[in-house]
Each structure stands twice: as structure tokens, then as C-alpha cells.
Amino acid sequence: MTIFCKRCATDDDYAKASLFMLQNKRELHPSLGTVDIITLLYYYMTAGSLIMVTDGDEHMLALGAYYMGTPEQEFVDKQRVVLVDNVIVARSYRSTRVFIRGFRYLMSQIIEDNPEVEEFRFVALSENTYLQKLYPKFASFIGSREGTIGTEDIYSVEIHKLRAFLDRFVRI
């Protein structure tokens, strides 16, 4: 399967991303409603960025959302830190290949647009056992915060270490 990644830039991109996020809102958390998702989308569209992952027929496979800087610091650290806030992968497309390809694209796009970025941070709900096992494989736990739907753990990794980790999965 061919996988394409691109940053949302047009109204059509944002419409596709919004529909995907609304259709897959339970993948983020079972308690999230439509208004919660619309609120998140508003924040991503105004203060962050959205990355779409599609197949060859332009069907959405995944959606990633990130901020340059951190909301806690009112984004003044945007020259140094990127915060990956949410990633949704359609259940039928979850695989290491989609994860690695999307993650490498996200990292490459951010580095290309912001070469001074040094640190990637990731947020995971404390109750999400899958992410709590995944993120420590390549990032360090740096703290917790209270989010709108529960306690969120924050992980951090230097960009060059993340790149080295992801490059291990690329076939030569």
C-alpha cells in the first residue's frame, strides 16, 4: 500500500481532516463528544498544525496534530520545542509501517520548516497503556499535567535521537 503524508493547507484538507477526526473521536477517548473535537480542531487550525496520512486513493489513514512550542509556556518556546499533541490512526490501518512513515514525515516536515527545533515532546493519557509502553522506547518521561479528560504524561526526546531511532526502521 502506498502512503502519502501532507500538511493541511487548503479548506479541502481541513474538511477531510475534520471529518476523519470526528469519525474517529472515540480513538482519542470514549468520553470525547463532537464539541470537544471541534474545539481541538479549532486550536490545531489556529495555533498548531495538522498532518494527514492518506492512501493512494486519498482515503484518510491517520491524522497528526502538533504545536510549535508548548501551551503551558504560551508557545514562547516554539523555537526549541515541538509538542505532538494527538495522533489518530484508523483502526484498520494500524501498523508499524504507517506509524514509522507518518512519524518520519512529521519529523522531516518540522525540521524543514523549523531547523532550530531541538526537542520533541509527546502527550499520552496516563490510562492509555499502549502509548505508555510505546513512548518510553524512544523518549523519556518528563512530567504530567491535568488535561480536559484526565492526567496526561509528557515524554521528551532530542531530535537527533528521535531521527536515529526512526532511521533504524528504514530499509536500505
Side-chain angles (χ1 to χ4, degrees):
M1 167 175 47
T2 304
I3 299 169
F4 299 97
C5 303
K6 76 174 201 170
R7 180 187 313 234
C8 290
T10 66
D11 287 345
D12 189 46
D13 292 343
Y14 286 118
K16 287 179 186 176
S18 298
L19 287 173
F20 179 81
M21 196 166 179
L22 284 164
Q23 291 168 344
N24 292 279
K25 66 185 174 192
R26 301 290 184 235
E27 299 299 324
L28 287 177
H29 196 272
S31 71
L32 289 174
T34 301
V35 173
D36 300 315
I37 297 301
I38 298 297
T39 302
L40 280 173
L41 285 164
Y42 172 78
Y43 289 133
Y44 297 145
M45 290 179 196
T46 58
S49 295
L50 292 167
I51 299 288
M52 300 180 353
V53 180
T54 61
D55 65 11
D57 296 325
E58 296 190 22
H59 293 107
M60 291 280 297
L61 309 178
L63 181 68
Y66 68 93
Y67 296 106
M68 295 307 303
T70 56
E72 298 83 20
Q73 297 294 320
E74 297 182 11
F75 304 106
V76 296
D77 54 354
K78 67 182 173 184
Q79 301 301 318
R80 196 181 75 69
V81 178
V82 61
L83 174 68
V84 178
D85 193 53
N86 273 310
V87 175
I88 303 173
V89 180
R91 201 172 280 276
S92 58
Y93 293 102
R94 288 185 186 162
S95 69
T96 301
R97 182 174 176 231
V98 171
F99 172 78
I100 296 296
R101 182 98 185 259
F103 207 170
R104 289 187 81 234
Y105 176 83
L106 174 67
M107 183 183 66
S108 297
Q109 191 66 45
I110 291 169
I111 292 169
E112 183 180 314
D113 295 343
N114 308 279
E116 67 282 350
V117 169
E118 302 168 6
E119 177 185 0
F120 268 64
R121 291 186 186 174
F122 309 92
V123 177
L125 283 170
S126 296
E127 65 189 56
N128 187 326
T129 56
Y130 175 76
L131 292 180
Q132 293 297 341
K133 290 178 185 176
L134 176 65
Y135 288 166
K137 291 180 180 181
F138 56 86
S140 301
F141 173 80
I142 61 169
S144 297
R145 69 181 186 191
E146 280 305 312
T148 56
I149 54 175
T151 303
E152 300 171 334
D153 292 337
I154 303 168
Y155 293 86
S156 174
V157 62
E158 294 174 21
I159 198 163
H160 69 278
K161 290 180 181 178
L162 178 60
R163 179 178 288 190
F165 174 81
L166 293 173
D167 285 348
R168 293 185 354 211
F169 297 95
V170 177
R171 292 184 183 153
I172 298 174

